[in-house]
Every structure is written in structure tokens, then in C-alpha cells.
Amino acid sequence: MNAEQPPIRIGIVGYGNLGRGVEAAIAKNPDLQLMGVYTRRDPGALQTLLAGTPVHAMEQLDSHHGQLDVLILCGGSKDDLPRQSPALAARFNLVDSFDTHARIPEHFAAVDAAAQAGQTTALISAGWDPGMFSLNRVMGEALLPDGATYTFWGKGLSQGHSDAIRRVPGVAGGVQYTLPVPAAVDAVRGGTRPTLSTREKHTRECFVVLEAGASAEAVRQTIVEMPHYFDEYDTTVHFIDAATLQREHGAMPHGGFVIRSGNTSAGNTQVIEYGLQLGSNPEFTASVLVAYARAVHRLHLAGQHGAKTVFDVPPGLLSAKSPAQLRAELL
Amino acid sequence: MNAEQPPIRIGIVGYGNLGRGVEAAIAKNPDLQLMGVYTRRDPGALQTLLAGTPVHAMEQLDSHHGQLDVLILCGGSKDDLPRQSPALAARFNLVDSFDTHARIPEHFAAVDAAAQAGQTTALISAGWDPGMFSLNRVMGEALLPDGATYTFWGKGLSQGHSDAIRRVPGVAGGVQYTLPVPAAVDAVRGGTRPTLSTREKHTRECFVVLEAGASAEAVRQTIVEMPHYFDEYDTTVHFIDAATLQREHGAMPHGGFVIRSGNTSAGNTQVIEYGLQLGSNPEFTASVLVAYARAVHRLHLAGQHGAKTVFDVPPGLLSAKSPAQLRAELL
């Protein structure tokens, strides 16, 4: 951190698990200053994680324009970000965690048009996947062009799959964990480039609380046969009571690996592995967003406008340290 | 790869294990074209890995200036690169693998002065450590500022330590492997941020061929007590015959891990791990140099002159794919 630099002023837009994680992450970065949380809820009723975090109504954002260097958007990819990111990029630098992989090109195009017009810098799809895992997929392929890339997720709580089981008739509550299959991970680490089906890579494990009178077998059947979500996987369903669900399944762990194996010559196999073991998925995602907010501010000061992704950011810009300090201490 | 782009024309300066690795790596990247190897040896006597690789005397480099987009310097960090990199950066874009960590700031300064004056782009200290491991040290620290970073090396052949044991009186030949201590790696992966001494992190294992009449015990004693190289480690010395050395210890495997563990809140520990298992250390280092040569060419076309390190390079520039393709396929 360069002592003479003023702090980078951050606004949090939206305040769920991710927003709370960003609030916690900013507190660990002394070169960043949290200017406030912007919410569509009643600002007076919002309980923030840290005492003293200012809370504002979303409508006040515009009038705070001159006091904010970068916004961190903490809404969802389905309903919030497709509208918010292009709208806000017209006037603010921002970072979002848009994670609907198939729709990234259109989201990028919409944000880029707004950011180019407004001469702002807007980084989309930060986090760990998309985000850190994407970086490792690109770098693995670039370093070992004659090779294969494998992404494994878990063990981790999947929000989308947990939501899906909670919509099954007869289910009062539940969570779903995604697990990599150890034999598949071992085969990939061995550098043999196996061909793996969806079923061979991951298993799914559900912990379900039944509604009174519901049939366990009928619920199990509905879950394991659910198209897209479960039918291509081996799924185990455990039935537990509400107290156990609350006591043992309240955390949001996640993680996984990106493994690239390849050959640099006929006789020599090389394996690159990037792995995450996350005690809290939203808090880690938030930490990534915060580091990229620092980079976005610097790119903006350097005159680099438009939409960006993690592929466009020199890694040194993520650090609070100066380039000379990074070369001396960490290269 | 953009089909309409002409290939990026590469020259290899110096032709040992690393130079041969670069030759092999270029053959796996169709957007790059190897223009020739430049050597201080007799060009006519040099046996290249691939038939058809042009070999030139070092003195011809200057006259080939207009035919070369990027030079990849494959000399050593002790005697070659401190002279060659600044001298060549005055006229050529280049990548080197300068790996004397303590002297990186002065090497950067010398190369930067030459490259700024010559309006070239010169990336120093590429490879895996410095290089990929450095990137992961910077990013780990940036993402988890409340944490600790650990670098483990091995299992791998250490060239410097192998050279040291071969200088011991009574030693006819030998190799040294560096090994991470499994208990230390496990403790770090657990996220507990242990304090580890040099001895607790790595062990050293030597395979030595004795000269006729030499005392095994005297040689063992000299090795394990050698200052800086071995005295701070637990070292095992095995005595083998020359045929076994040649048969079983001719490969150059290496690798290791960079692990960052940290807390995003009091209750939540996060662990990031980057690991390499390298069948051939020089071939992997070469593959990194080649990917960064592509990036250097693009930075130069974008008008970014001066010395650079891996911290300054947007990861997308390493890939032959276009930014839009990377976003659609790999983000």
C-alpha cells in the first residue's frame, strides 16, 4: 500500500450473503474504504455485520456519484445483474459476479456498451467460478497446449440444487452437496487424460427434512430423477430432522480443483492443479470481488474503459503493494 | 488463434536443456514460428531436437533484427542473463528466466533502462519459480490478506544442490532431490498457519557414486554438513553405482506447491493451493517462456515498452485464442 494514496472508496449494491462478505473483506484491506451499503429494503431496518457501516436507499446512489470510486454489485445473476450492471456501468466503475456461464457474452456486450459510452471501467464475472477457476483454465491451456483441462467442484453446498430439492412436494427443508469422485480426481492427477462422463466426475448428496405425512420414497424418487439437476448423477438422499439440518448444515463450504495435464514431449507429462477449500463460499467470492475492485480503480485511472474480465487484469493490480515491492518480495 | 494473423517469429538464444525445451514447445503452438537457434558454439556442429531448425552463430543475431518478433533467452542466471538481457533488450523484444530471486530488482532496472531506451518490451523472470509460483503468491495474498503463504518445492531434482555434491572430493557423480515434508504440507493445508523452520519444511536426498577408494562416511559427512546447501536440512545420502545413476536418475522431475491459507471472518478459513507435478523441469519452464513470448509480442504491439514481469501481463494475452473466444469458452 502506498501511504500517500487516498483510500479507494467502495459502495456495496445489494446486501445478502455476498454483500455481507464484501463488508467483511473490505475491513481486511486498509487501502479500501466502505462508503456504504445501497439497498432496496428499508435502510433503517437493515442490520449490518459491522457497527458503523452506513446504509442508504438505492435511490441515493446517483447523488453519491462523486464519493464512490467503485461499486461492488452483490445481486443475483438471474434477475438483478442483467439489469443493474449495464445501468450502473453508464455512470460508475463496478465489479459484478455474474455467473451464468452461457450468457456471459451477451452480459459482456451490454456492460461494455454502457461502460464505453460512460467512460467507466466495469469488470464482470469475478469470483472463483467464473473467476479464479477461469484464469487457471486459460493459463493451463496456454502453458500446456497439448493437454486436457478438468474442473471438479466440491465438496460444497450447491445453492441451485438445494433450491431445487426444496421445491419438491413433501420437502420441508434441505441442502445438497456436490462431491468430486475421488477415483476420477486421482486418474486426472495421474496425467492420463481420461474421458469422464458427468456421472463419473461428481456425485450428489442431499439432506432432506420431510413435511409431516410425506412419503420418503416418493421424495427420494422425485429428487434422483429430476432432469438436468440430478438425473445424470448418482445421488444419495438422507432424511434428517429440522434440528439436525439447522445444526449441521448451516455453513456454506465449497471448493474444487482445476487440473490441466499435458505433454511437453512424448516422454514428459506435466500436471498443473489449482484447488480451493472454502469454509465460506460467499465470503471467498466477496474477497475476490474486493481485490478486483482495487484493480478496476487502477485500470480506470490508467484510462482503460469498457467491460473487462479477469483475463484482462494484470495480476499485480490486485495487490495493495507497489510493483517494485512485489518484485522484491514475491517474484 | 486468429487465422488472419501472421505467425509470431521467435529466436532462441542459447541451446542447453532450456533451449531444447523451447524448441519443443514452439512446435506445439501453431501461431508461433521458430526462426532459429543462436549459439556461441559452432553452428554446424549443433544437433537440434527437430530436423530443420535453423542454427545461426550468435554474431548473426543483429543482422536478423527485422525477422524476429521476440527472443527467448535460454542462458543461465549466473553468467549469461545479467549481461545478455540488458544488451539484447536495447534492440529486441525478449523473455528471460532470470531466477536469482535476491537480484531481481537490479536485473529489472538494467533491463528496463535498455528496453525503455530502445522502445522494446522485455519480460524477465518467467518460468515457474519465479513465474507461476510468484503469481500465486501475489494473488493468494491479495485475495486473503489476513493469512499466510507457504511455498514447498519437490519432489524434484535440484541442479544447484546436485552440482554442490559433485564438487565434494571422492564423488564421481550424483544427484540431489528436494522433498517437501508431508506432515508440514498437511498442517498448512489444514489452514492452521503453522510456523515452520527450514528443517521442518523440506528434506534432501542424495544419490552418490563414489570415486574408487573414497570413504563413503567421509563423503556423507561432508555433504550433510555443507553450509547453506545441507546443514539446515535433514539429508539422506545413498551410495549407488554409475550404471544405476544413469539408469534411474537421468530425468529432471520437479514441482511443488504454493499454499495460501487465511480467514475471511473469525469462523471461516479458506485455503488456496497451486501445485505443479513436472515430468521435466526444463520443458515446463520452456513452455512458460513460450506463452509469455506471445504476450510480449502483443504488449509490444500495444505500445507497452520497458521491462515487465508476470505481474504485469493480463492472463488472456498468454492464450492464442481471442478475448471473445476466451470469454465464451473458458470464463
Side-chain angles (χ1 to χ4, degrees):
Chain A
M1 177 184 177
N2 299 326
E4 71 276 12
Q5 304 278 347
I8 302 172
R9 300 164 302 170
I10 309 285
I12 295 175
V13 177
Y15 197 72
N17 287 326
L18 186 59
R20 267 188 293 276
V22 170
E23 186 184 7
I26 290 171
K28 293 198 182 278
N29 287 280
D31 63 325
L32 307 182
Q33 185 180 356
L34 178 54
M35 301 303 286
V37 167
Y38 295 83
T39 180
R40 285 170 298 201
R41 289 179 274 173
D42 171 12
L46 201 77
Q47 282 290 331
T48 58
L49 192 69
L50 305 172
T53 296
V55 182
H56 309 290
M58 196 73 90
E59 294 71 37
Q60 295 181 271
L61 195 47
D62 249 339
S63 66
H64 293 182
H65 183 273
Q67 301 152 44
L68 292 162
D69 294 311
V70 185
L71 298 181
I72 300 181
L73 274 53
C74 298
S77 295
K78 190 161 176 290
D79 297 319
D80 301 321
L81 301 176
R83 291 181 301 101
Q84 279 183 345
S85 297
L88 292 172
R91 292 160 295 140
F92 293 93
N93 299 320
L94 62 83
V95 177
D96 81 21
S97 66
F98 184 80
D99 67 359
T100 311
H101 291 263
R103 304 189 62 184
I104 283 174
E106 67 186 280
H107 187 63
F108 183 90
V111 172
D112 191 50
Q116 297 285 3
Q119 300 212 302
T120 65
T121 308
L123 187 132
I124 66 158
S125 301
W128 60 274
D129 196 357
M132 292 301 110
F133 274 19
S134 321
L135 273 187
N136 281 279
R137 285 188 287 263
V138 164
M139 297 187 71
E141 189 179 281
L143 300 187
L144 299 173
D146 174 10
T149 302
Y150 300 83
T151 302
F152 291 96
W153 296 273
K155 180 184 177 173
L157 184 94
S158 163
Q159 209 60 63
H161 287 78
S162 296
D163 289 346
I165 62 175
R166 288 190 286 254
R167 286 191 298 263
V168 170
V171 171
V175 293
Q176 194 266 190
Y177 298 98
T178 306
L179 293 90
V181 175
V185 177
D186 289 346
V188 167
R189 283 186 181 143
T192 55
R193 304 194 213 173
T195 302
L196 297 167
S197 67
T198 297
R199 192 177 300 274
E200 287 169 324
K201 286 182 70 185
H202 295 94
T203 54
R204 299 193 177 279
E205 192 172 19
C206 308
F207 293 85
V208 171
V209 180
L210 290 173
E211 285 176 349
S215 155
E217 183 47 30
V219 164
R220 197 197 64 79
Q221 196 80 4
T222 307
I223 291 173
V224 303
E225 292 176 357
M226 197 184 297
H228 310 304
Y229 284 90
F230 292 99
D231 62 340
E232 292 178 43
Y233 298 87
D234 290 334
T235 301
T236 313
V237 182
H238 306 281
F239 294 98
I240 58 175
D241 60 33
T244 305
L245 180 70
Q246 191 167 18
R247 193 178 60 245
E248 296 180 8
H249 301 283
M252 285 177 283
H254 218 308
F257 324 90
V258 175
I259 304 177
R260 177 76 178 182
S261 74
N263 281 76
T264 48
S265 63
N268 286 318
T269 301
Q270 322 271 12
V271 181
I272 308 172
E273 176 168 342
Y274 182 81
L276 296 172
Q277 292 174 56
L278 306 178
S280 163
N281 179 356
E283 286 184 11
F284 185 74
T285 301
S287 296
V288 178
L289 295 180
V290 164
Y292 277 95
R294 177 185 291 124
V296 160
H297 177 65
R298 292 168 169 178
L299 288 173
H300 183 72
L301 291 181
Q304 293 203 34
H305 303 147
K308 305 288 175 193
T309 74
V310 294
F311 302 149
D312 305 312
V313 177
L317 294 187
L318 299 174
S319 171
K321 293 181 176 170
S322 72
Q325 202 178 356
L326 292 180
R327 287 191 296 269
E329 294 175 11
L330 295 168
L331 191 60
Chain B
M1 180 183 174
N2 300 325
E4 70 276 13
Q5 304 277 348
I8 302 171
R9 300 163 301 169
I10 310 285
I12 295 175
V13 177
Y15 197 73
N17 287 326
L18 186 58
R20 267 189 292 276
V22 170
E23 187 184 7
I26 290 171
K28 293 197 182 279
N29 286 280
D31 63 325
L32 307 182
Q33 184 180 356
L34 177 55
M35 302 303 287
V37 167
Y38 295 83
T39 180
R40 285 171 298 203
R41 289 179 273 172
D42 171 11
L46 203 76
Q47 281 290 331
T48 57
L49 192 68
L50 305 173
T53 296
V55 182
H56 309 290
M58 196 72 91
E59 294 70 36
Q60 295 180 270
L61 196 47
D62 249 340
S63 65
H64 293 180
H65 183 272
Q67 300 150 43
L68 292 162
D69 294 311
V70 186
L71 298 181
I72 300 181
L73 275 52
C74 298
S77 294
K78 190 161 176 287
D79 298 318
D80 301 320
L81 301 175
R83 290 181 301 100
Q84 279 182 345
S85 297
L88 292 172
R91 293 159 294 140
F92 293 93
N93 300 321
L94 63 84
V95 177
D96 82 20
S97 65
F98 184 79
D99 66 359
T100 311
H101 291 264
R103 302 190 62 185
I104 284 174
E106 67 186 279
H107 188 63
F108 183 90
V111 173
D112 192 51
Q116 298 285 4
Q119 301 212 298
T120 65
T121 308
L123 188 132
I124 67 158
S125 301
W128 60 275
D129 196 357
M132 293 299 109
F133 275 18
S134 321
L135 273 188
N136 281 279
R137 285 189 286 261
V138 164
M139 297 188 72
E141 188 178 282
L143 300 186
L144 298 174
D146 174 9
T149 303
Y150 300 83
T151 302
F152 291 97
W153 295 273
K155 181 184 175 175
L157 184 95
S158 164
Q159 209 58 64
H161 287 77
S162 297
D163 290 345
I165 62 175
R166 288 191 285 254
R167 287 192 297 263
V168 170
V171 171
V175 293
Q176 193 265 191
Y177 297 98
T178 306
L179 293 91
V181 175
V185 177
D186 288 347
V188 167
R189 283 185 181 145
T192 56
R193 303 194 213 173
T195 302
L196 296 168
S197 68
T198 297
R199 192 176 299 275
E200 286 168 326
K201 286 182 70 187
H202 295 94
T203 53
R204 298 195 177 280
E205 192 171 19
C206 307
F207 292 85
V208 172
V209 180
L210 289 174
E211 284 176 349
S215 154
E217 183 48 30
V219 164
R220 199 196 64 79
Q221 196 82 4
T222 307
I223 291 173
V224 303
E225 293 176 355
M226 197 185 295
H228 310 305
Y229 284 89
F230 292 99
D231 62 340
E232 291 178 43
Y233 298 86
D234 290 335
T235 301
T236 312
V237 182
H238 306 279
F239 294 98
I240 58 175
D241 59 35
T244 306
L245 180 71
Q246 193 168 17
R247 192 177 62 243
E248 296 179 7
H249 301 281
M252 284 179 282
H254 219 309
F257 324 90
V258 175
I259 304 176
R260 177 75 179 183
S261 75
N263 280 76
T264 47
S265 62
N268 286 319
T269 302
Q270 322 271 12
V271 181
I272 308 171
E273 176 168 341
Y274 181 82
L276 295 173
Q277 291 174 57
L278 306 178
S280 162
N281 179 356
E283 286 184 12
F284 185 75
T285 301
S287 296
V288 178
L289 296 179
V290 164
Y292 277 95
R294 177 185 290 123
V296 160
H297 177 64
R298 291 167 169 180
L299 288 174
H300 184 72
L301 292 181
Q304 293 203 35
H305 303 146
K308 306 287 176 193
T309 74
V310 294
F311 301 149
D312 305 311
V313 177
L317 294 187
L318 299 174
S319 171
K321 293 180 176 171
S322 73
Q325 201 179 357
L326 292 179
R327 288 191 296 268
E329 294 176 11
L330 294 168
L331 190 60

